[in-house]
Amino acid sequence: QVQMVESGGGLVQAGGSLRLSCAASGLIFGEHAMGWFRQAPGKEREEVSCIAWNGGYTYYANSVKGRFTISRDNAKNTLYLEMNSLKPEDTAMYYCAPRLIGSYSYCSGSSGDFGGWGQGTQVTVSS
């Protein structure tokens, strides 16, 4: 059973930093691209970032480019998201998920290719 456990969220002032972690189990972690997604109240879930199976390719949404950094440790089955210069508009529940459909070692532009959603970790940025 694919399972993701996100952690590291919290309340931070604008301009601050947080580091999210995602512990993965139930799959061969090193074979899958991994994504970070977020969903704010009343809004659709959006893809924030993605990293290919070996870290050789990364994608960032324009809204976080230059501020967030995705990384992974395949030996520890763990995904990270370093978030700097946080803004109130970054407030959301953050989720990690592996790509499970298609060429799952590589990032996809479709969130529907990802699954195994965890409970998420809340990030709140105060102004």
Side-chain angles (χ1 to χ4, degrees):
Q1 180 180 356
V2 176
Q3 185 173 10
M4 304 293 126
V5 179
E6 302 92 342
S7 62
L11 173 63
V12 64
Q13 288 188 332
S17 299
L18 286 172
R19 189 192 197 205
L20 306 185
S21 297
C22 167
S25 61
L27 77 170
I28 303 175
F29 180 78
E31 292 187 350
H32 291 262
M34 294 293 299
W36 281 103
F37 299 80
R38 67 186 181 187
Q39 187 167 20
K43 294 187 177 181
E44 292 188 354
R45 183 173 59 203
E46 64 170 336
E47 183 177 14
V48 174
S49 184
C50 181
I51 186 168
W53 67 281
N54 62 352
Y57 170 83
T58 56
Y59 159 82
Y60 297 95
N62 287 335
S63 58
V64 306
K65 200 171 294 183
R67 301 187 296 120
F68 290 11
T69 302
I70 191 170
S71 62
R72 65 190 296 161
D73 186 337
N74 287 348
K76 295 183 178 180
N77 289 359
T78 303
L79 177 74
Y80 304 99
L81 186 67
E82 186 77 35
M83 306 187 296
N84 298 314
S85 302
L86 283 162
K87 303 175 181 180
E89 50 263 44
D90 295 317
T91 295
M93 188 71 78
Y94 283 71
Y95 303 89
C96 66
R99 183 179 179 185
L100 300 178
I101 296 174
S103 300
Y104 55 74
S105 294
Y106 302 95
C107 292
S108 163
S110 173
S111 62
D113 289 347
F114 292 78
W117 303 97
Q119 295 299 309
T121 186
Q122 177 68 38
V123 172
T124 303
V125 184
S126 63
S127 57

